[in-house]
Each structure stands twice: as C-alpha cells, then as structure tokens.
Amino acid sequence: MANKDTRLSVDTLLVHDQRHSKGAVAPPIYQTSLFTFDSYQAMVDRFRGDTEQAVYSRIDNPTVSVLLEKMCQLEGGEKALAFSSGIAAISNAILGLVKAGDRIVCVRHCYPDTYRLLQLICARFGVTTQFVDGTDLKEIEHALPGAKLLYLESPTTQLFEEQDLNRIATLARAADVITVIDNSWATPIFQKPIESGIDLVVHSASKYISGHSDTVAGLLVGTGALIDKLTSETTPYLGAKLSAQEAALLLRGLRTLPLRLQRHQTSALVIAKRLRNTLP
Ligand SMILES: Cc1ncc(COP(=O)(O)O)c(C=O)c1O
C-alpha cells in the first residue's frame, strides 16, 4: 500500500499526488457504495484476492485508500485503516487483538473514553486491564509477562506524561506482547512510534490531522500482518468505516500538517516561557 517513492520529503509527499483520473490534483471523492467490474473474470480475480479493485465502501474506497497511503508514508507503516472516529480506531484495534481471558497492560491517564472502553466493554467480555505508570520501565517490565497487549499513549491526555518508546518496544517484544500507541497528540510530525518498534499506531484524526475542526475520524497504521489480521477477523464486521467525503477533508488537512504543527510548537513555547516568567 505504501508509496515506495522515497526520493520526496514528507512535506512534498503530503502536498503532491499526481495519479488521479483526468489530471485532478485533489483526489476525486468516490461517493458510491458499490463498484462494478469490467468483466465477470475481473470480479472473480478480485474475490480471489488477485487484484485490489474496490468492491464496497464499507471495506474499501479509492478516496480513503489515498489517505491510507499517505498515512503509511507519514508513520512508516506497511498498511493502514480508516475509521469514523478515533475511538472506533482504538476499539477496533483492541477488540480485534484480544479474547476472553487476556490481560491488557495500559498506561495510566490514557484518553478517558479509552479507559471506559477497557473498563466497561473489555471487562464485560472477560478481558482485564492492568494500569501502569508509563514513566516507570520497571513497572512495565514487571507487568508484561503473560499480557496480550500493551496500550500506550505518549504524551498522555491532559497530564502529558511521556513514555520511552524504544525501550518499551524492546521489553514488549521480549515478552511477546503486541504494542499499540495513541499518537494523536504528537502526530507523526513529532513522533514516529513504528520506527521505535511499536506495532500499531492509532490516531484521533479529529484533532491535528484534520486540523480544521470539521471532521471526526480515526486512523490505524501498522505492520501488514496485524492490519491483515484486523481486516480478516474484525473491522469489516464492526463497520465503523470512514466516508469518502471525510477522507477528502483529512487529505486536505494533511497538506498543511507539518506547517501547522511547527506553528503550534512555536506558539506553545512562547506561552510556556511567559508562564515560567510569572512563577515566583
Ligand atoms: C488522545 C485522544 N485519543 C483518542 C480520542 C478519541 O477520538 P475521537 O473523538 O475522534 O473518537 C481523543 C479525542 O479527544 C483524544 O484526544
């Protein structure tokens, strides 16, 4: 799925996209539920998995696919999925990877609805969660053996506690635990968890990736093997797909993501310095 053209910088990749029909600079919005085939054989080939033509927009849509390619390029992942909200991306990732009797290790102070998903829904299906201090490597190392999944959020919501992703990914690999991180706050402009060895990255794209406060959306990027497991066992049956219209809005947002994040950083630093100067 990922565009292999690594000669272009991320900024350029986000702005340029020259493969659209009739020379369109922005990807066409495929506002359709179903897709037809040129021949019966083309349909057979698609259902055999020999081609990738879109079939039905709950499963795949060409506008959404352009967004997924760009997210793979940005995060350095092999495959990606798009959802109708950030919490849909999170719930699909978690519910798709655990089963009754499993234990999840999760950093404290994660996004509150992620906490509720773990405590209300996962618990109802016999999946327990152990919350740990994400800044304490010893506590994480201790909690990992026997766990199925380690859920990270760095920085965490509101308290902005950070985790050492390189060292945590190494610990999790050694314990055979799948790692998932919510990267909504840092975005791939400031943090690329997959390069640190994390397996799956989730986003509330409703925030910085959209950038215009006009979309609620979620994204999931990761290894081909894990995304394939989710698409074959879970995501089509939970049905929380992203619409083509909203994918187009996110693609527009991505064009300015690096610029906006730089500006956020500059402004935040000005405020932080002013606040520091007001301290006694
Ligand atoms: C860090 C973080 N993760 C996940 C979510 C959930 O995303 P959404 O509101 O798009 O479902 C949010 C929403 O505020 C968030 O801030």
Side-chain angles (χ1 to χ4, degrees):
M1 182 183 292
N3 188 330
K4 299 281 181 288
D5 190 348
T6 49
R7 291 167 302 170
L8 304 178
S9 73
V10 165
D11 293 19
T12 309
L13 281 169
L14 291 179
V15 174
H16 285 280
D17 204 329
Q18 296 156 346
R19 299 155 307 150
H20 307 302
S21 63
K22 303 191 192 300
V25 173
I29 298 172
Y30 285 88
Q31 189 68 37
T32 179
S33 55
L34 276 167
F35 297 82
T36 55
F37 295 88
D38 288 342
S39 64
Y40 179 74
Q41 189 56 45
M43 188 179 80
V44 171
D45 293 345
R46 169 60 181 87
F47 282 101
R48 261 207 208 108
D50 293 342
T51 66
E52 289 192 340
Q53 195 202 307
V55 175
Y56 184 50
S57 284
R58 173 159 55 81
I59 316 293
D60 48 11
N61 175 285
T63 315
V64 176
S65 297
V66 178
L67 171 68
L68 299 183
E69 266 184 38
K70 292 209 187 279
M71 283 310 298
C72 285
Q73 290 159 357
L74 260 182
E75 288 283 10
E78 290 170 350
K79 288 192 178 178
L81 293 168
F83 299 89
S84 53
S85 68
I87 203 69
I90 294 166
S91 54
N92 272 267
I94 293 177
L95 296 175
L97 295 173
V98 296
K99 61 178 186 332
D102 282 343
R103 178 170 54 89
I104 296 171
V105 178
C106 178
V107 291
R108 64 182 183 183
H109 311 311
C110 60
Y111 177 66
D113 281 352
T114 304
Y115 177 83
R116 291 183 193 102
L117 167 75
L118 295 167
Q119 296 293 71
L120 296 176
I121 299 182
C122 290
R124 207 190 299 150
F125 291 100
V127 176
T128 57
T129 303
Q130 179 179 354
F131 290 92
V132 292
D133 176 350
T135 64
D136 186 338
L137 282 175
K138 279 270 159 265
E139 191 181 346
I140 294 177
E141 188 174 12
H142 228 76
L144 284 175
K148 179 71 185 182
L149 192 144
L150 172 63
Y151 189 89
L152 307 165
E153 189 179 303
S154 185
T156 56
T157 294
Q158 281 152 10
L159 292 186
F160 269 57
E161 287 176 347
E162 288 176 310
Q163 292 117 59
D164 182 336
L165 301 189
N166 287 305
R167 293 176 73 185
I168 290 175
T170 305
L171 291 175
R173 288 251 160 104
D176 203 18
V177 176
I178 300 167
T179 42
V180 181
I181 186 168
D182 185 332
N183 199 27
S184 305
W185 289 114
T187 83
I189 301 301
F190 292 141
Q191 177 169 267
K192 293 187 196 294
I194 290 170
E195 287 179 2
S196 296
I198 302 296
D199 298 311
L200 283 176
V201 176
V202 292
H203 280 282
S204 169
S206 326
K207 310 292 164 353
Y208 292 127
I209 288 177
S210 149
H212 293 72
S213 301
D214 54 7
T215 318
V216 172
L219 293 160
L220 182 53
V221 190
T223 61
L226 282 177
I227 298 286
D228 284 348
K229 177 178 168 61
L230 293 174
T231 48
S232 63
E233 297 173 4
T234 305
T235 55
Y237 320 116
L238 293 180
K241 60 96 183 163
L242 186 71
S243 74
Q245 297 270 356
E246 290 185 295
L249 289 174
L250 295 185
L251 281 162
R252 186 192 58 177
L254 281 182
R255 286 171 176 256
T256 55
L257 183 70
L259 280 175
R260 286 188 283 106
L261 266 288
Q262 279 158 22
R263 183 56 187 260
H264 281 307
Q265 190 177 47
T266 309
S267 304
L269 204 58
V270 169
I271 294 168
K273 282 181 180 160
R274 273 197 205 158
L275 288 174
R276 191 180 53 190
N277 292 339
T278 63
L279 290 177

